[in-house]
Every structure is written in structure tokens, then in C-alpha cells.
Amino acid sequence: QKEVEQNSGPLSVPEGAIASLNCTYSDRGSQSFFWYRQYSGKSPELIMSIYSNGDKEDGRFTAQLNKASQYVSLLIRDSQPSDSATYLCAESNAGGTSYGKLTFGQGTILTVHP
Amino acid sequence: NAGVTQTPKFQVLKTGQSMTLQCAQDMNHNSMYWYRQDPGMGLRLIYYSASEGTTDKGEVPNGYNVSRLNKREFSLRLESAAPSQTSVYFCATYPRRGWTNEKLFFGSGTQLSVL
């Protein structure tokens, strides 16, 4: 049974700070990793994907992947109140069959307070 | 261009009743998925259809059946609803089988309560 574990929340940071979200996974065959953001009562939306070891930056977001340690993280710089949401880590090892077949973590609730 | 449309948005059932959740997409995507989301448990895959004419079980298929009616529509049926099926159900699509660097497109969800 594949598992994706996220750091327990909720996480509260002040506006302008760096929010750090962490995730570990159990399946060494996992190839693709994703961070989805979900506002309360809404559907998830993809904010970052990462496939190779190292860092990937997109605006205020940086995803980090370490396959040897089976660890994925998301850093949010200059956090804004609008970043307050649940962040879901997900992985896929579906290869060429179905990349939409994801295993999700339980989510971390982030609150950014002014 | 509606994207992924789920109906109904809310539903209350009694134990033992049956119902079908409908999902339709107008994006010409090949793959379609049904996930459920319970508090503190993230999303779990129920069933998926990698392409028209195929369906496969996901992580939690017991108590559910699916039909890929055509490329646009993928329905989820509860034959005899149980309180454990109280959840938020999301339909999602994926553009192209075998392609990376894409993303899941989610519908707005169906909140189902089984009493």
C-alpha cells in the first residue's frame, strides 16, 4: 500500500514569512510529484509539479525533490493571506498508463495571518 | 466551455438507497477519474477510465460501479448506499494518456451524505 505522508498541521505563519510544507512517500517507484492547493469548499488546483531531483521555482513557490530520501517539499515565499488553504502532496508512478492516477497525502492546512 | 461538470452538487440518501453521480467533460480529454475526499484523508481514487471503453479499480472501489458511457461522460453508481460512503466526490480528467507535464482537471465536487 503506497503512502504519502504530510507534516501535521495546521501551519500558521505571519504575512510575508516563508511557509514550508513537507511530504514523504513510501514507493521508490514514484516518478512524478505534485502540489495541489485547495480552498475551503473548492476543488484542488495544481500549483507545482516536479519530476527530477533538485529545486523547481515558479514565482513565490519552490518545490524540492529528494528521491534518495523520498522527500518532497513546497516553500512559499512572501506568504499572503490569499495563500491560506489546504495543500495536498501527491505522487504518481503510473508511467505511461495513466498519469492522472495519483496517491494523495492527507493535506496540510496553512493559515497566513496579517 | 464548462470544463468538468458534476451533478448533483449535493445529495442526501438513506442507507440502502441507490444513486448515480454524473460527470461530463467538454475538453476532449482521454482519461477520467473518480476520487473521494474525507476529512483528514486527502483524496482517494475510486475508479478510473484511462480511455473510452476501459475502466479500472482504484484504491477504494468497494461499493461502487462505474460506466464510461462515451468519451465525454463517466458516471459513478452507488448500488446500496452506506454511511461510510458519506464524502465529497470529485470527478477529474487528464488530457492525454502517457503524457507528462499535464495536470488533473477537477469538477466542483458532489457532497454526499448517507443517513
Side-chain angles (χ1 to χ4, degrees):
Chain A
Q1 179 81 356
K2 295 191 297 181
E3 291 185 352
V4 176
E5 294 287 336
Q6 296 186 234
N7 55 325
S8 59
L11 178 65
S12 181
V13 301
E15 185 174 356
I18 295 175
S20 177
L21 303 162
N22 303 313
C23 174
T24 59
Y25 60 94
S26 64
D27 185 358
R28 287 198 170 273
S30 297
Q31 301 176 4
S32 310
F33 303 87
F34 309 90
W35 285 99
Y36 282 79
R37 179 177 62 198
Q38 185 176 27
Y39 292 115
S40 181
K42 302 296 186 183
S43 54
E45 56 177 334
L46 181 69
I47 53 172
M48 290 289 285
S49 57
I50 187 166
Y51 309 102
S52 303
N53 278 329
D55 295 358
K56 179 181 178 181
E57 188 174 315
D58 184 0
R60 296 186 296 111
F61 298 98
T62 299
Q64 300 173 316
L65 173 60
N66 183 326
K67 289 188 177 181
S69 300
Q70 296 178 242
Y71 178 89
V72 189
S73 66
L74 179 70
L75 299 177
I76 306 174
R77 291 181 300 281
D78 189 24
S79 296
Q80 301 297 311
S82 59
D83 295 326
S84 298
T86 297
Y87 288 81
L88 299 163
C89 175
E91 65 85 22
S92 172
N93 72 347
T97 57
S98 183
Y99 285 98
K101 188 180 171 185
L102 302 183
T103 299
F104 285 85
Q106 72 273 33
T108 298
I109 298 172
L110 171 67
T111 301
V112 181
H113 53 87
Chain B
N1 209 7
V4 182
T5 302
Q6 290 183 236
T7 55
K9 293 191 184 303
F10 301 94
Q11 184 71 48
V12 178
L13 293 177
K14 294 181 180 179
T15 298
Q17 287 185 317
S18 62
M19 78 160 296
T20 299
L21 281 64
Q22 306 285 356
C23 177
Q25 53 110 350
D26 61 4
M27 298 180 290
N28 201 36
H29 288 176
N30 286 326
S31 302
M32 301 185 72
Y33 305 81
W34 279 105
Y35 285 88
R36 61 177 286 177
Q37 185 173 32
D38 303 300
M41 297 191 72
L43 283 83
R44 292 181 293 169
L45 182 64
I46 306 171
Y47 269 95
Y48 68 102
S49 172
S51 60
E52 186 179 357
T54 69
T55 60
D56 284 289
K57 295 178 180 179
E59 180 185 355
V60 288
N62 290 346
Y64 305 95
N65 285 300
V66 290
S67 295
R68 182 76 182 264
L69 304 171
N70 46 56
K71 191 171 185 178
R72 291 186 63 249
E73 298 172 289
F74 188 38
S75 62
L76 178 72
R77 182 159 178 84
L78 287 70
E79 291 291 352
S80 179
S84 60
Q85 294 178 304
T86 294
S87 189
V88 179
Y89 292 84
F90 287 102
C91 176
T93 68
Y94 194 86
R96 284 166 290 195
R97 185 176 176 179
W99 281 67
T100 60
N101 210 30
E102 294 280 5
K103 65 177 182 179
L104 280 172
F105 290 78
F106 284 91
S108 58
T110 295
Q111 188 162 333
L112 175 66
S113 295
V114 183
L115 307 177

